Amino acid sequence: MVRSFQVNGQRFWLKRAGEDKHRWYHRMLPLLSRGKLKGWLNSHANIPPNARLFGELKRLLALSLQGLPVVQITSFTDHSFITKDAGVDAKTILEQSAEKREIVSQLFDALGTLHQAGVVHGRPALRDIAISASGKVTFLDFEESPTQTTPELMARDAIILINECHRIPDLTASDVQAGVAKWRMKTNRSTWHAMCSATWWLLALLSVPAKLSARWSQKPRKQRLRRALATLSRLTKSPLPNHFFARGLPFGF
């Protein structure tokens, strides 16, 4: 639960323990994340709300000391903490700004800064990224930030942000690709290889017969997914074996 308030004209945010996310699919994650899937499915969503909040608090305090682009905590208790206002959420900024390419580049550059420091956000949704009036990018909500860092988890961060950027209808694929280039400059070869591998499997697993593809592609969420997958395909330049797609590539690639 998050609430805003003002003191002497300055805005702050109060965060308390949220909902219990210990649902059946969250309980399955520890089992699914063993072995080869460990690098992709690591999540803290299945732990109790208070433990999740306390973990986020410790994480933010440590990252702030490193000077990383995370929200600043002003005070805390056993059950809540207060942060400074960091600006407007990235989704609103992108919808209203004419400089979309520059903003997307700033988002991916900031994500690359986290990854350079060995930090994985876990769920970099546009609503969890703030941009100040001066253009400073700040990451919020580290509830699902895994403590370990792997190339797969960093690639997962980037894939989530690519999908999030495609929530903005008039944001072009070239705008997103320019942003990813900023992120790639701050990552290593292993992370980029993980990105290419993930793209190959996503395209393979999400390929469907032409009739279903045409039906699903009419829904806004499926349109966003199609655009995101197309961007990933262009970025990684991963050729797919023809026998996977006897009826052609999915989603009209």
Side-chain angles (χ1 to χ4, degrees):
M1 297 178 64
V2 181
R3 296 287 185 274
S4 67
F5 62 95
Q6 292 190 11
V7 177
N8 297 327
Q10 186 174 0
R11 183 178 295 276
F12 296 88
W13 293 85
L14 169 68
K15 182 168 185 177
R16 293 178 290 180
E19 63 177 335
D20 188 350
K21 298 182 179 180
H22 201 248
R23 302 184 180 93
W24 68 268
Y25 47 87
H26 288 134
R27 291 196 295 268
M28 291 292 292
L29 284 177
L31 298 175
L32 294 174
S33 61
R34 294 176 181 176
K36 292 184 178 180
L37 292 178
K38 184 176 182 180
W40 294 104
L41 298 179
N42 186 296
S43 173
H44 287 181
N46 62 319
I47 65 178
N50 283 331
R52 208 165 59 237
L53 182 78
F54 186 65
E56 180 183 14
L57 172 62
K58 291 197 301 181
R59 191 87 163 130
L60 287 172
L61 289 172
L63 297 180
S64 295
L65 291 176
Q66 298 179 49
L68 294 174
V70 301
V71 68
Q72 301 296 304
I73 293 177
T74 60
S75 61
F76 59 88
T77 68
D78 292 340
H79 306 289
S80 65
F81 59 80
I82 295 174
T83 65
K84 292 181 178 180
D85 182 66
V88 182
D89 68 275
K91 183 175 185 292
T92 300
I93 294 290
L94 281 171
E95 289 173 341
Q96 298 176 353
S97 175
E99 303 296 331
K100 289 180 171 50
R101 176 175 291 221
E102 181 180 347
I103 293 170
V104 170
S105 293
Q106 291 173 345
L107 297 180
F108 278 96
D109 186 64
L111 183 65
T113 299
L114 284 183
H115 290 170
Q116 265 189 330
V119 178
V120 174
H121 184 277
R123 191 197 60 193
L126 291 179
R127 66 178 180 275
D128 294 330
I129 307 173
I131 302 177
S132 68
S134 62
K136 180 182 178 181
V137 175
T138 301
F139 287 91
L140 321 171
D141 198 348
F142 277 74
E143 279 190 24
E144 297 186 22
S145 175
T147 52
Q148 68 177 121
T149 302
T150 65
E152 290 81 12
L153 290 174
M154 289 191 285
R156 187 181 73 178
D157 269 0
I159 290 171
I160 290 173
L161 187 53
I162 288 170
N163 184 56
E164 284 287 309
C165 284
H166 283 294
R167 288 180 179 274
I168 313 303
D170 52 348
L171 193 64
T172 66
S174 61
D175 292 336
V176 179
Q177 290 179 57
V180 176
K182 292 279 188 178
W183 170 78
R184 187 178 180 183
M185 290 173 62
K186 294 187 173 182
T187 58
N188 54 38
R189 183 176 298 179
S190 297
T191 303
W192 186 250
H193 182 268
M195 169 79 87
C196 295
S197 176
T199 299
W200 194 95
W201 282 107
L202 281 171
L203 288 170
L205 293 173
L206 294 174
S207 63
V208 294
K211 290 184 180 180
L212 285 178
S213 175
R215 185 186 307 167
W216 291 357
S217 63
Q218 301 305 313
K219 298 181 180 180
R221 187 174 181 180
K222 301 305 178 185
Q223 290 176 350
R224 184 178 80 243
L225 177 61
R226 181 181 58 185
R227 293 171 62 205
L229 288 171
T231 299
L232 281 168
S233 180
R234 294 191 198 98
L235 279 167
T236 59
K237 299 177 182 178
S238 303
L240 299 172
N242 293 330
H243 67 270
F244 266 91
F245 307 105
R247 300 187 182 184
L249 291 177
F251 303 108
F253 287 124

